[in-house]
Amino acid sequence: LFLTWSKIRKSNSSSRVTRLFQANFFRSAAAVLVIGLVSAGIYTKFSFSETNLTALNGDSNGLIEQINNTDKTQLITLSDASSILLQPKSKLSYPKNFKGTDRKVYLSGEAFFEISKDPNKPFMVYANETVTKVYGTSFRIVAYSNQPRVEVLVRTGKVKVSGIQKSKANASNEVTLYPNQAARFERKNQVFEKILDLTQDESLLQSAKSIEQLNFEFQDIPVSQIFATIQQAYLVSIDFPEEKLKDCYLTTSLIDEPLPEKLKIICASLGNNTRYEMNGNQ
């Protein structure tokens, strides 16, 4: 059985193709999975550890402030389905819903961003004296308030990083980055250093996180293994019926997709009645 993502989502012109093996078994398994759960009225309760988060809900123009005071990475999903992995001792401020002509968030610390594509609504991350502007891509920003520099590392897509304050020594005061490139911004001098090849910078290589090192191109891979890769990348726990899906294989590309989109693609590939729910890191 061959399924194309463009057929699953008619509004998306992506050429991604998903192939499923052992279709007869699979259809039965998906049907049993969904119908069985609905008819039985099963609801899985997840247990959560203390996350020590601070959430401030203001008015319609206010921001939600999420602080990671734990020793583990925390997953944040924004209203536009973008996903962010917030590192310990970091803070992200963002609106409950994005309004207007752009999408703005504010970072203090370190985070990995996977931004939903929207060519008409740029996504901007303000971090110390810099602003990073994208339309849909993945990248990491390191911007601690007590450190002398800001670092932006690009995994996929195109990223533009600018200094908020214009420097007399460098009127443009901005750099454009592509995959496997990075920029260091010296906060004192307001000057950028552009790294054209991340593999040549030992300190940047050593600081890379799992999600930046994993491959999301899958060729005839069991669904369980794809879930295992996602769990490793996002530090989440995925509960699914292993026995029913043990003979299901997928061929798909999940590169440059936020976590909700990755899960949506998998569910659409498994069948029209398949769905997922997110509850924190589960």
Side-chain angles (χ1 to χ4, degrees):
L1 173 63
F2 290 84
L3 294 176
T4 60
W5 185 235
S6 59
K7 290 181 181 179
I8 296 170
R9 247 178 47 183
K10 294 181 180 179
S11 60
N12 190 333
S13 61
S14 170
S15 62
R16 177 180 294 108
V17 177
T18 303
R19 184 152 52 98
L20 305 181
F21 292 85
Q22 301 187 2
N24 292 335
F25 165 83
F26 174 75
R27 289 170 179 163
S28 299
V32 171
L33 167 65
V34 177
I35 296 173
L37 288 178
V38 173
S39 61
I42 296 176
Y43 176 76
T44 304
K45 295 183 178 179
F46 299 107
S47 60
F48 301 97
S49 59
E50 290 290 330
T51 57
N52 201 10
L53 300 180
T54 300
L56 303 178
N57 295 302
D59 55 24
S60 59
N61 295 320
L63 297 175
I64 296 173
E65 185 177 85
Q66 191 149 332
I67 304 173
N68 186 353
N69 289 324
T70 74
D71 59 355
K72 298 180 181 179
T73 302
Q74 292 176 346
L75 173 66
I76 301 174
T77 302
L78 303 181
S79 61
D80 65 344
S82 296
S83 55
I84 299 170
L85 291 174
L86 188 66
Q87 295 299 311
K89 300 180 181 178
S90 301
K91 177 177 70 175
L92 185 75
S93 301
Y94 57 95
K96 182 178 181 180
N97 295 293
F98 291 110
K99 300 179 180 179
T101 59
D102 53 33
R103 298 171 286 171
K104 294 180 182 179
V105 301
Y106 303 85
L107 173 69
S108 177
E110 181 177 357
F112 181 82
F113 295 80
E114 285 183 316
I115 304 305
S116 294
K117 297 176 179 62
D118 188 342
N120 300 315
K121 202 167 187 177
F123 190 99
M124 293 184 285
V125 183
Y126 288 82
N128 290 339
E129 297 83 9
T130 67
V131 56
T132 300
K133 183 178 180 180
V134 304
Y135 288 90
T137 183
S138 60
F139 56 96
R140 176 159 56 97
I141 297 179
V142 184
Y144 291 95
S145 60
N146 61 349
Q147 292 185 359
R149 63 184 59 87
V150 175
E151 293 180 342
V152 180
L153 301 86
V154 179
R155 183 172 184 264
T156 61
K158 177 182 175 181
V159 172
K160 181 179 288 186
V161 190
S162 306
I164 295 177
Q165 299 177 352
K166 296 297 182 182
S167 169
K168 293 182 179 179
N170 185 359
S172 62
N173 203 27
E174 68 177 31
V175 294
T176 300
L177 304 173
Y178 296 95
N180 298 318
Q181 293 185 350
R184 287 192 182 96
F185 179 77
E186 296 295 335
R187 300 174 63 189
K188 181 177 181 180
N189 301 323
Q190 301 281 301
V191 174
F192 281 102
E193 174 194 1
K194 186 173 181 178
I195 296 92
L196 296 177
D197 187 354
L198 286 174
T199 63
Q200 302 302 313
D201 193 298
E202 191 65 27
S203 63
L204 292 179
L205 283 178
Q206 292 178 352
S207 65
K209 304 298 186 290
S210 293
I211 193 169
E212 298 169 80
Q213 300 171 341
L214 293 170
N215 182 15
F216 286 96
E217 290 279 0
F218 301 105
Q219 182 72 34
D220 299 347
I221 300 298
V223 174
S224 59
Q225 184 58 48
I226 296 177
F227 284 147
T229 301
I230 292 176
Q231 289 182 123
Q232 181 181 353
Y234 293 93
L235 301 179
V236 296
S237 175
I238 300 177
D239 181 33
F240 67 99
E242 297 183 36
E243 183 64 25
K244 287 180 170 57
L245 299 180
K246 67 178 181 179
D247 294 319
C248 295
Y249 292 72
L250 298 183
T251 293
T252 186
S253 173
L254 299 178
I255 293 176
D256 202 17
E257 299 287 359
L259 177 58
E261 190 69 12
K262 285 182 171 70
L263 297 175
K264 187 186 298 183
I265 290 170
I266 294 173
C267 284
S269 303
L270 295 179
N272 293 333
N273 294 325
T274 307
R275 64 186 178 86
Y276 75 90
E277 292 182 356
M278 292 183 64
N279 198 339
N281 278 39
Q282 306 225 18

